[in-house]
Amino acid sequence: MAELTYREAVARGIAQEMTRDPDVVFLGEDVAKAGGVFKATVGLLDQFGPVRVRDTPISEQAILGAAMGAAMTGLKPIAEIMFSDFLAVCFDFIANEFPKSRYMSNGQLKCPLVVRTGNGAGSRFGAQHSQSVENWCMMIPGLKVVAPSTPRDVIGLMAAAVRDPDPVIFFEHKSLYPMKGEVPDGEIVDTLGSAKILRPGKDATILALALMVPRALAAAEKLKAEAGIDCEVIDVRSLVPLDTQTILGSLARTHRLFTVEENPRLCGWGAEIVSIVADEAFYDLDGPAVRITTPHIPLPAADTLEDIVLPTVDRIAETVRRSLSS
Amino acid sequence: MAELTYREAVARGIAQEMTRDPDVVFLGEDVAKAGGVFKATVGLLDQFGPVRVRDTPISEQAILGAAMGAAMTGLKPIAEIMFSDFLAVCFDFIANEFPKSRYMSNGQLKCPLVVRTGNGAGSRFGAQHSQSVENWCMMIPGLKVVAPSTPRDVIGLMAAAVRDPDPVIFFEHKSLYPMKGEVPDGEIVDTLGSAKILRPGKDATILALALMVPRALAAAEKLKAEAGIDCEVIDVRSLVPLDTQTILGSLARTHRLFTVEENPRLCGWGAEIVSIVADEAFYDLDGPAVRITTPHIPLPAADTLEDIVLPTVDRIAETVRRSLSS
Amino acid sequence: MLKKQGRPPTAARKPQLNDDIGEELRLRMYGMQVTIRQAEQRAYDLFLQNLVKGTSHLSLGQEAVATGFAAAMRPRDLSFCTYRGHAHTLARGVPVEKVLGELMQRDNGLMRGKGGSMHLTSAEHGVMGSYAIIGAHLPIACGAAWRAQYKGTGDVAVCFFGDGTTNIGAFHEAVNFASVWKLPVVFVCENNLYMEYTPIGDVIPVKHPAADRASAYGLEAIVIDGNDADAVYRAACAAYAKARAGGGPSLVECLTYRHSGHSRADPATYRPKGELEAWLKRDPIKIYRERLLQFGVEQDAIDAVDAEVRRDVDEATEKCKAAGPPPLEILTTDVYADGGWAWRN
Amino acid sequence: MLKKQGRPPTAARKPQLNDDIGEELRLRMYGMQVTIRQAEQRAYDLFLQNLVKGTSHLSLGQEAVATGFAAAMRPRDLSFCTYRGHAHTLARGVPVEKVLGELMQRDNGLMRGKGGSMHLTSAEHGVMGSYAIIGAHLPIACGAAWRAQYKGTGDVAVCFFGDGTTNIGAFHEAVNFASVWKLPVVFVCENNLYMEYTPIGDVIPVKHPAADRASAYGLEAIVIDGNDADAVYRAACAAYAKARAGGGPSLVECLTYRHSGHSRADPATYRPKGELEAWLKRDPIKIYRERLLQFGVEQDAIDAVDAEVRRDVDEATEKCKAAGPPPLEILTTDVYADGGWAWRN
Ligand SMILES: Cc1ncc(C[n+]2csc(CCOP(=O)(O)OP(=O)(O)O)c2C)c(N)n1
Ligand SMILES: Cc1ncc(C[n+]2csc(CCOP(=O)(O)OP(=O)(O)O)c2C)c(N)n1
Ligand SMILES: [Mg+2]
Ligand SMILES: [Mg+2]
């Protein structure tokens, strides 16, 4: 057992898989010599050499395209897109190429690759470097989408993603990079598509992802301490595949649903889950399903503004409290 | 009053606005000399000349970027992206540039432009030329998003979009191009953000968009005739701004909600609306809110497969009937 | 001096069948061009009978490019095509039936109708997909070449695209990337003078859409006669040899012309008078047939090839007509590697 | 002959202050370079005091590029910058206070903290935004130039970007587009040898990231000394004149160097020993100060400029420190043109 940062976990997760499988290769901008702009890939070049760990030009389409062509022919590439906002400059690969080639070819082509990318707000970087864009990927049929919230999950889900035979978009949260967590020694391999109940509770189910997970947990403690409300907190972890069973199972016990989403409101993953619940668990619900999201606006840079724009512990707790008491 | 095709309405809508305002300019691939690959812009070059109606290289980023720079400095560009699937190759402009420049500049910059694009399935074109991607835009804060279902609405909403001071993504449905409809003479100007109740009813509310509108209407007639179920059908028309009042108002009367979405399921506009309803109209609902969508898969090319993949009149009617009787 | 005086002028130009290409390969290349021609003409006929669904983009007139590049490939080399990919797919040896079946969206099609005419794929023949979003497959071909480099296989990735494609961002990123990484990829620009309906000359400030961009990537400017399968074959051999030797990518611009419209919907009325006629005189199949004759191949042998191809295309057509539509169960198969489409439990 | 013999060697090289640039403009350009330098050094100090939030990208060492291009502009010409845009923003006359205020994310900032250091915008000064996604602003600048062409205003759009930006698709699309449409846009590549931490030489197969690509767009290859404000100014004048005359775009590569790291987080340890020192000898401000002295400008006059700039920067700093954070109400303003953010009724 060691204490690692989320950032260190990224490098360890990649190293674990590169050690296991010589077909795992890694490319991206400033990822090799510089160890990544978030220093999340430090040491990989030294450990695996310049043939497997490669710096690229600023050419996101070439990066993802090259990953796809390599994946298609037998390698297992991990590609870094530095900030998830930049998925927009290579979105054709995300939306039209990776997820469709297997289907269009009637199963002849494969696309086993991982795109890892720094997602989310909190660094005062402003509207073009702070977005939570997991929904850009969730809405595309054919992709898998994960977003770990702890160092341990970073490693386990990275292993699952690399070993998965389909394209996986792996969202690392920039504000979690410095966060520490206990990580067991030895190989860690998780499974895609499993949510985790982090805190059992009976009064309401709170779903959260990535940076919102610690906030939801803190809000649950606050609700317990201040209002005697006992919330079940679930880390969704994987948007596709989605662990609907764990979510619906929880709801069958608590009868109330809250989602905590960092994304701007419209068409967020919470909307999808709420719509599943509204259809399949309508009679389980004792009250409105409530989404707690970032307002539907571009993100501001200023610290004071950024601090109030994402769902906070207080906003989560207050929303749940008010909703349960109305 | 004249009968026009949806395709002809596009050209008339653009012409109406170009006639009114000399700052309206139009650019895209094969739009001028050739009149567009869907023949939706035939005659515009002749009428307005090569300075205002311009063919471009195959450079979608340049097309949208040029539109943005021109909009920012005083023109009112209409840009065509031939197939909406190609929004993926210029998605940075859609997701990061158009919708954020006003906010980031604290109101100093403006971006009054229209991107019109051929959306949707039905032409047996396969997975990369058939998608319904209105949700790619709906989820981005700062955009406006419309999708007309009739020739009249094409003209009225086009006028509203061109006159709107914000970036508007205008989804034309490829399978509606040959459809005919009555169009009044003279100028037509609609407003963004208003849904239309096309068929009043008391038993359930069915929301639909674009090609799904005629199908929802036909399903409602079928339900009335075959099962005595009286559905209210609403053409959502504008996803942003969203006419929540009309939708919630209808629901307060019918107490049941169905959405008919051509998009693949995850994170569709229907999910967003269902999540609004689940929160704000929970006590109005007498039963599950049900989404009828294209399954979450890439689209097949073959006619037989494509015909069963989109929501059909039968599937809509059957889903509503079964849900109301359970 | 002796040459000039001693031989009659025709004899001086008398070509040698036993040159670097040779008779057998030439007959194969002739057969392939005829196969592509007849298969595509048949596709057009079937379209007129409303039996070809969706869109389709013919390469009539461009057969020499597909033929020459494919003929120079080794079996494990990989082709990356566009929506205008029937020719390249056939040129790798994919049966006509499979291609027509896909165009007709039948169960016997290459992808059982799931992909359609714009996405022809036959992995077993090295056809690693046809891509319908302009430019996307150039970076993808880089990736396949990267794998070949990484594994030291000696395989080459060959990527076909049109003149209009040279203006999209992905072109630029891919060619630069390939050049910096010295990838064994060959970029083949089929300059047929038009994008969809707009002449390429209207949208570039240089003469050659590909060759005039080559130096930007440290590459040689190569322009060849795309209607002469021999010239294409030789250029292909040179590019592949360079790639296999670790010399990196090539960018080859082939001058050619499509006889028909951009797609089935296009009557191609935008072409200046006489342009088509001029190019028909340079029809690659006509050129090649004349060359074979000139080389001493018998008319009968040539006719036999034509007839055999026709039998093959006729037979394929019948099989396709007899084939059913794809079964509805395949609608949701092969979204994910587990064979299904489950996005939830 | 007379020249060579009759004058002492120093006099022979004695530069003329009354050349095409002249004393007044030179003093202005000196002042601007010093303003940029001091404002950015101050930004760095404030960062060390934890008063500059978020990221910031300094142009220390690149001041001559911003200065020369801005000095040659007319007031209505438009600048399009990157995240490394402080210099270009200041060069158009935006007050130091406004820039530092934005870096400090205070209410007195250019955009009241809503945009942050990477998005400096001052429409009234012609600074039409700073863009943080590599390449995006090149097409946008084309659009502004298109409007100028359409309206016949004679205005020029000037777009600044780095060496690394030449490899992204949008660069290619924009330069080609501008060239075909003959747009009055000037693309200025500041080749500072590095992308973030990776040398540009590692990722291009040519020597000059911009100039070696120019011919692909039918443009002249232009490489200038980006550390000499006079050279920059002259290149700018030529490019603007061509643009205003309807001659279309130019692509100008300026050789320069950033003295500090890529962004505030970067200690720039990847630079080879001695590289920084060599470039410090070619510091644009040092070069320009020496030139002014050589031209006969008094040391006192130069010192006075430095002192005045310092006063200005000090005053701006105090104002920023005194300014409050933006009020929370502005969080949701200016999403849409109606001033608000309502996406529903
Ligand atoms: C990104 C993108 N933009 C536009 C199109 C529509 N489109 C299909 S083919 C084509 C013309 C391509 O011209 P060229 O590259 O010369 O190839 P050719 O069709 O002549 O073989 C266009 C514009 C597309 N498929 N993808
Ligand atoms: C599309 C995109 N990819 C990557 C980045 C991250 N990034 C920011 S600056 C930079 C380096 C840019 O180098 P260059 O163009 O030389 O400009 P310089 O920073 O040297 O001024 C990179 C890779 C980005 N902002 N946008
Ligand atoms: Mg072409
Ligand atoms: Mg640089």
Side-chain angles (χ1 to χ4, degrees), chain A residues 174-193:
Chain A
K174 296 194 290 290
S175 287
L176 289 174
Y177 280 131
M179 298 300 159
K180 290 185 174 171
E182 292 288 320
V183 176
D185 300 330
E187 192 182 75
I188 308 178
V189 188
D190 213 320
T191 47
L192 302 183

Side-chain angles (χ1 to χ4, degrees), chain A residues 54-133:
Chain A
R54 299 192 72 163
D55 285 323
T56 69
I58 306 175
S59 304
E60 278 79 4
Q61 297 191 71
I63 293 169
L64 293 196
M68 179 174 173
M72 194 180 262
T73 52
L75 299 185
K76 299 278 253 155
I78 304 173
E80 172 176 313
I81 297 297
M82 199 185 280
F83 286 74
S84 64
D85 314 67
F86 311 162
L87 290 177
V89 303
C90 47
F91 199 60
D92 184 47
F93 294 89
I94 300 288
N96 290 328
E97 312 301 337
F98 296 169
K100 295 181 170 54
S101 66
R102 178 182 291 274
Y103 185 81
M104 294 192 306
S105 69
N106 193 38
Q108 293 180 71
L109 300 179
K110 58 182 177 176
C111 190
L113 56 79
V114 178
V115 178
R116 43 172 296 271
T117 187
N119 195 45
S123 309
R124 293 76 172 90
F125 285 163
Q128 292 186 337
H129 279 68
S130 307
Q131 295 170 86
S132 283
V133 306

Side-chain angles (χ1 to χ4, degrees), chain C residues 285-312:
Chain C
I285 294 179
K286 183 167 159 290
I287 288 175
Y288 218 70
R289 198 180 281 132
E290 280 162 11
R291 182 167 310 150
L292 290 181
L293 288 170
Q294 207 185 7
F295 277 23
V297 176
E298 300 290 325
Q299 182 70 52
D300 282 0
I302 295 174
D303 291 346
V305 172
D306 291 5
E308 196 192 314
V309 168
R310 177 143 332 264
R311 267 195 306 280
D312 187 34

